[in-house]
Amino acid sequence: VPALATERRFAQCLRECLQEEQLLDGRFQLQQMPGGRVALPVLEEKLSQLRLPPDVPCERLRIQHPVPSRAARRRTPAQRLRDELRRLLGGTWSEELERDVPRAWQRHGDLVLLSEESFRAAPWGRLGSALWVTVASALGARRVARRGRVMPDGMRTPSVTLLLGQDGWVEHVDNGIRYTFDVTKCMFSPGNITEKLRVASLPCSGEVLVDLYAGIGYFTLPFLVHAGAAFVHACEWNSHAVEALHRTLVLNGVRDRCHIHAGDSRQLELQDVADRVNLGLIPSSEEGWPVACRVLKKGTGGVLHIHHNVEAPPTPAPPQSPALPAERGSPEAAGSEGEGGVKEVLGARLRPEWQRWAEATATRIQGLLAELHGRPWRTSVLHVEAVKSYAPHVHHLVLDLECRPVLP
């Protein structure tokens, strides 16, 4: 419509009229065009309902890059996604479809990974590829995949379907570390970020570390890049994860400080090499405890980071009393005092079930070491970290256990 002085107000009034009749696309604003014209954003599927007086000079115009409205700029990605899908489905929108639209997803570079429960209702199927193109556009992505159930193959292989795009390889930046992996073949767990940040801050300068369940390098890379480990032996039996780990080490410039041991870590031939061992397997890393004891340096010992799922029914808050203090004089305890690690986590917030598990594990490891080396060892609980709730009343814990030979 013309944008002459008085007619500009007319264009605004016309816009309000069309909005009231639900013909306008609220995602875009009234836009000044070359030649003294103003463009009104009419919904394409509503054009047939547009009835203008014959004396209103107008033409249909397709704008390549329309200007978003203020309301559109304020919308969250989830709101944008819903608005786009409502527009795509028109009058067939329902409460069932509303429940079927995801409110959260994982983002890996230009790929969004949807939950397995999303977009399962029948009406979505008839949209075909248009659905995934709309999802990608609304979420600012180029590729879309949907997660299925983890396969019970002992390797936690994901069941992921690529819905839009040809390649599942992605790059994910986490705490300054660049991970690369194929989402259709390898898991990435963003829920472990607190533990990855914690191990990145540990005093590992000059140490040799063995990571018995390396995966794509969740903990191998923080130990190398941030914690300053001199060398890491990374063990992994999933060939797809091994490939991803190799690429990630190269990507971060630390390939020369890591040796990948492909295969079952229980068959690892290393011994007497490690200052520190990471056992990052849940629900239990118990099968790796004998190997961890064997790879520890027999003359000086070291620290084990033992992951485990521990069940603890809901109980009232425990009394404000210290529990499981780090043994005095241990280097790990000294390194944690300034950050409140041992004092805070091993104090009032440590549940009785967690404490019992930590003590039982320390006793078991002490026995394994004594049996292996034929002399007494001492084990000291340094820290218990609650990573996340894995299921109702089941928590993923990490025990930092210092193991030292008793010198004659």
Side-chain angles (χ1 to χ4, degrees):
V1 295
L4 302 176
T6 56
E7 291 168 341
R8 171 78 183 187
R9 287 194 297 274
F10 170 74
Q12 187 64 43
C13 287
L14 180 59
R15 182 182 192 276
E16 292 171 3
C17 243
L18 295 176
Q19 184 138 17
E20 188 173 338
E21 294 177 20
Q22 297 185 341
L23 302 181
L24 283 188
D25 190 336
R27 298 172 302 164
F28 307 108
Q29 60 180 269
L30 183 146
Q31 193 165 337
Q32 186 79 41
M33 301 299 295
R37 297 178 300 165
V38 172
L40 300 175
V42 179
L43 289 166
E44 189 169 3
E45 64 270 20
K46 302 281 189 176
L47 280 173
S48 60
Q49 303 175 31
L50 185 61
R51 299 288 183 269
L52 294 175
D55 57 338
V56 175
C58 65
E59 61 178 309
R60 181 177 175 180
L61 180 68
R62 185 177 295 276
I63 300 174
Q64 189 71 26
H65 300 291
V67 178
S69 65
R70 290 181 180 178
R73 289 196 295 268
R74 288 195 300 266
R75 288 181 303 168
T76 65
Q79 290 169 331
R80 258 197 321 273
L81 177 59
R82 276 170 174 69
D83 290 347
E84 293 288 341
L85 293 171
R86 285 193 190 96
R87 186 177 66 81
L88 187 64
L89 284 167
T92 62
W93 191 256
S94 65
E95 288 186 10
E96 179 191 17
L97 294 175
E98 176 75 27
R99 290 191 300 270
D100 217 26
V101 178
R103 288 171 168 77
W105 47 85
Q106 289 182 23
R107 180 179 292 275
H108 303 295
D110 66 354
L111 182 146
V112 290
L113 182 59
L114 306 172
S115 67
E116 61 181 299
E117 299 85 11
S118 57
F119 298 113
R120 292 298 187 184
W124 300 117
R126 71 169 187 266
L127 296 176
S129 61
L131 170 61
W132 310 122
V133 171
T134 301
V135 170
S137 174
L139 301 182
R142 292 185 179 181
R143 294 177 290 167
V144 179
R146 180 167 54 201
R147 187 173 59 241
R149 294 189 180 277
V150 176
M151 296 181 186
D153 57 0
M155 299 185 188
R156 293 185 58 78
T157 303
S159 173
V160 173
T161 304
L162 201 59
L163 304 167
L164 181 66
Q166 303 299 320
D167 183 5
W169 278 93
V170 299
E171 185 175 311
H172 185 99
V173 180
D174 193 57
N175 190 26
I177 296 170
R178 297 164 66 191
Y179 296 90
T180 184
F181 58 99
D182 186 339
V183 294
T184 67
K185 295 181 172 67
C186 298
M187 291 280 292
F188 187 90
S189 180
N192 290 339
I193 181 61
T194 56
E195 180 61 9
K196 284 183 280 189
L197 289 171
R198 190 179 77 87
V199 301
S201 67
L202 292 174
C204 301
S205 179
E207 292 185 349
V208 173
L209 180 129
V210 173
D211 191 352
L212 286 180
Y213 310 100
I216 66 170
Y218 296 115
F219 301 112
T220 297
L221 269 294
F223 276 118
L224 284 169
V225 175
H226 296 308
F231 197 86
V232 173
H233 293 275
C235 308
E236 178 53 43
W237 67 355
N238 183 331
S239 60
H240 302 298
V242 167
E243 182 183 359
L245 175 58
H246 173 80
R247 292 190 186 194
T248 295
L249 291 166
V250 172
L251 202 58
N252 291 275
V254 292
R255 184 66 185 88
D256 61 331
R257 291 163 50 209
C258 181
H259 180 79
I260 300 174
H261 300 264
D264 190 340
S265 61
R266 290 171 296 186
Q267 308 302 321
L268 187 66
E269 295 182 356
L270 285 177
Q271 58 183 344
D272 188 23
V273 296
D275 301 290
R276 195 179 295 264
V277 183
N278 193 64
L279 298 106
L281 181 67
I282 52 174
S284 174
S285 62
E286 190 167 349
E287 286 191 352
W289 294 359
V291 181
C293 291
R294 189 173 70 245
V295 298
L296 274 180
K297 290 181 177 177
K298 61 183 180 182
T300 56
V303 177
L304 306 182
H305 302 284
I306 303 172
H307 292 237
H308 198 83
N309 281 352
V310 178
E311 186 171 357
T315 55
Q320 301 288 323
S321 59
L324 294 178
E327 190 165 298
R328 291 190 178 184
S330 72
E332 288 283 5
S336 300
E337 286 176 355
E339 300 169 11
V342 172
K343 183 179 178 181
E344 181 177 316
V345 177
L346 294 183
R349 296 182 182 181
L350 188 67
R351 300 188 181 188
E353 293 83 4
W354 301 358
Q355 180 172 337
R356 284 195 291 271
W357 167 74
E359 290 174 338
T361 300
T363 301
R364 173 80 182 283
I365 296 292
Q366 185 178 32
L368 288 172
L369 286 164
E371 183 180 352
L372 175 67
H373 297 290
R375 60 172 172 168
W377 281 61
R378 62 176 174 81
T379 54
S380 309
V381 173
L382 303 176
H383 185 88
V384 174
E385 180 78 10
V387 178
K388 66 185 177 214
S389 176
Y390 193 76
H393 316 310
V394 177
H395 292 85
H396 174 183
L397 303 183
V398 181
L399 165 63
D400 293 352
L401 186 69
E402 185 180 47
C403 308
R404 304 292 179 190
V406 176
L407 301 177

